[in-house]
Amino acid sequence: MNSLLDRFCRYVRVSTQADESARTYPSSPGQLELGRLLTEELRGLGLQDAQQDEHGIVLATVPATVDHATPTIAWIAHLDTSPETSGHNVQPIIHANYDGRDIILPGDPSKVLRTAECPELLAQKGKTIITTDGTTLLGSDDKAGVAVIMEAAATLLARPEIPHGPIRLCFTCDEEIGHGVDHLDLQKLGATVGYTLDGGGVGEIDGETFSADLAVVTITGTNIHPSIAKGRMVNAIRLAGLFLERLPRQVLSPETTADREGFLHPYRIEGGVAEVTIRILLRDFDTARLADRAELLRTVARTVLADYPTARIDVSVTAQYRNMADGLKKEPRALAFAQEAMRRAGVEPKLTIVRGGTDGSRLTELGLPTPNLSTGEHNIHSPLEWTCLEEMATAVRVLVELARVWGETSAPR
Ligand SMILES: [Zn+2]
């Protein structure tokens, strides 16, 4: 456990905050620095193929210990942290044998982890909690995942009697700004199935995500000087107001939906009298319903145009990502073996759904079935972020069991 704790603290101290305004890949030099550190550590563990590529992605292979052919699996985590809260100069604070009280963060005493607001924290009484000092995020998203993968690899290498097939380790960059798999070469990764270690708490397996489209609604009016506008001006701003007013609000909005309900979500509007664009997120677990949402936008557009026949409203829709469950159907072992591994590690698995996308949704769509596993993250993207050492240790045990379960199959590689 100490080596896991040491790893985690070592990794969070490297500043890897993603930067949306950067023109480089990865978007921050710290990601390259952490990747170099991990590559050296992997070589130190004996993985001579460990390599950081020109995009900062780190790959290595834990070789099989069984003689028969088994599918290659991949363990994936991301090196960057969220741009939402500073990730510079992270000072992890270890609360051994946590006493169950509120935790005042010393770098900014206005930041308090209250058990009343966070019952999962109270549940960790007696365990080892790691928090920030209140001035930065912690970065357990996703350095808990990185540390768990590194520790699981070290465990397998130290205990060659554990039977397993080949395991690819993969650390990616810029997940938090939507570019986590842009440069990941699936041929090179060469795995049958992947697992991202980037989930909250313990015992959860995310096997379903939203399917997502982006709709851009462009409203074109007629601009003319207001002094001579009578009967001639068609103000796109007013049409945008009408259009938005006619979208459903009491249903089908993020503010009014939960669980399996989808929504359409206008999130940005810009423009002037001549032209306005509205960007709208379309989300649903049922991929087919995205087309219904787009049709609803077109219907609303027609009702506006009925009153303003000289205006134009274009609705253009592009696909963003697809429900992971669609692709996981092709490889049912991806979820079944994760459940089995958790049971063997003494954890009751819970299949969960994500009201958003993960790198796994894109990877699954690209042909690598990739569910997401719990790795002890809590309150992510915030100075109130924390993690629990015992939960991370459980995630390590789950990975070791997962290696074993996949090693028991004899399907072709
Ligand atoms: Zn993450």
Side-chain angles (χ1 to χ4, degrees):
M1 287 260 268
N2 273 344
S3 82
L4 177 58
L5 182 60
D6 290 347
R7 273 185 207 290
F8 179 75
C9 292
R10 191 158 67 238
Y11 304 155
V12 298
R13 284 196 176 96
V14 183
S15 166
T16 61
Q17 186 174 331
D19 176 1
E20 273 171 305
S21 67
R23 286 164 179 237
T24 56
Y25 194 97
S27 67
S28 57
Q31 298 181 58
L32 292 173
E33 187 189 331
L34 179 56
R36 268 196 300 275
L37 172 75
L38 295 170
T39 308
E40 278 164 29
E41 289 188 7
L42 289 165
R43 291 205 179 130
L45 288 171
L47 302 186
Q48 293 314 318
D49 77 332
Q51 236 184 351
Q52 182 181 39
D53 74 10
E54 68 271 29
H55 306 294
I57 298 167
V58 176
L59 290 173
T61 315
V62 180
T65 57
V66 295
D67 292 330
H68 61 275
T70 68
T72 300
I73 67 173
W75 295 339
I76 302 162
H78 64 90
L79 299 174
D80 59 309
T81 62
S82 167
E84 287 173 54
T85 301
S86 169
H88 303 301
N89 194 23
V90 171
Q91 300 294 334
I93 299 182
I94 299 160
H95 309 259
N97 193 13
Y98 167 58
D99 62 10
R101 291 190 218 164
D102 290 354
I103 301 174
I104 300 167
L105 301 174
D108 177 359
S110 74
K111 299 281 188 310
V112 182
L113 269 167
R114 296 180 202 283
T115 54
E117 289 161 11
C118 195
E120 321 87 275
L121 180 62
L122 192 56
Q124 313 296 347
K125 197 170 166 186
K127 309 231 170 100
T128 297
I129 299 299
I130 305 144
T131 67
T132 70
D133 70 354
T135 62
T136 65
L137 50 63
L138 178 62
S140 72
D141 175 10
D142 186 24
K143 287 162 186 171
V146 175
V148 162
I149 289 174
M150 292 293 288
E151 189 69 12
T155 305
L156 291 180
L157 290 162
R159 295 179 54 196
E161 74 277 11
I162 297 174
H164 63 83
I167 299 162
R168 294 284 274 159
L169 314 180
C170 176
F171 301 116
T172 61
C173 300
D174 285 337
E175 186 265 0
E176 297 287 359
I177 53 174
H179 297 292
V181 300
D182 289 7
H183 299 284
L184 186 58
D185 180 344
L186 289 185
Q187 294 291 354
K188 204 167 137 196
L189 184 64
T192 300
V193 64
Y195 294 92
T196 49
L197 273 289
D198 194 14
V202 74
E204 292 184 358
I205 306 168
D206 299 323
E208 247 193 281
T209 59
F210 268 149
S211 280
D213 282 352
L214 170 67
V216 179
V217 178
T218 306
I219 303 174
T220 310
T222 305
N223 197 8
I224 189 166
H225 194 281
S227 63
I228 51 169
K230 187 170 183 185
R232 297 159 80 185
M233 179 186 281
V234 180
N235 188 341
I237 296 175
R238 295 195 188 278
L239 270 52
L242 287 176
F243 181 88
L244 290 169
E245 180 59 30
R246 292 175 190 179
L247 293 183
R249 273 176 297 146
Q250 305 306 328
V251 292
L252 280 184
S253 69
E255 308 92 299
T256 59
T257 51
D259 304 323
R260 288 195 167 270
E261 299 166 310
F263 56 71
L264 47 90
H265 174 43
Y267 72 100
R268 186 180 299 164
I269 180 165
E270 49 204 3
V273 174
E275 186 178 283
V276 170
T277 58
I278 308 169
R279 295 166 77 83
I280 303 175
L281 302 180
L282 312 184
R283 299 288 185 264
D284 208 288
F285 287 97
D286 180 351
T287 305
R289 279 207 204 128
L290 294 177
D292 303 344
R293 307 268 188 272
E295 198 43 48
L296 177 64
L297 295 178
R298 294 193 178 98
T299 303
V300 170
R302 277 193 293 274
T303 69
V304 174
L305 290 175
D307 293 334
Y308 296 90
T310 62
R312 267 185 50 195
I313 304 182
D314 290 317
V315 178
S316 90
V317 176
T318 49
Q320 293 183 304
Y321 55 85
R322 289 294 173 257
N323 187 345
M324 188 193 276
D326 299 354
L328 287 181
K329 286 185 195 118
K330 281 176 257 162
E331 180 50 276
R333 294 178 298 179
L335 289 177
F337 286 10
Q339 288 171 288
E340 174 63 16
M342 284 192 178
R343 283 191 203 101
R344 290 190 193 182
V347 182
E348 189 47 40
K350 199 173 138 206
L351 283 177
T352 42
I353 61 173
V354 184
R355 289 176 65 79
T358 67
D359 269 356
S361 6
R362 285 184 63 200
L363 290 171
T364 303
E365 199 182 344
L366 292 170
L368 180 70
T370 308
N372 184 39
L373 305 179
S374 278
T375 187
E377 299 171 5
H378 294 273
N379 289 354
I380 57 170
H381 301 191
S382 153
L384 299 179
E385 187 180 0
W386 58 278
T387 185
C388 168
L389 179 59
E390 285 80 358
E391 287 186 344
M392 285 196 282
T394 298
V396 173
R397 290 206 314 277
V398 168
L399 284 190
V400 169
E401 293 306 321
L402 191 58
R404 220 194 275 268
V405 178
W406 276 98
E408 287 164 10
T409 64
S410 52
R413 275 178 188 153

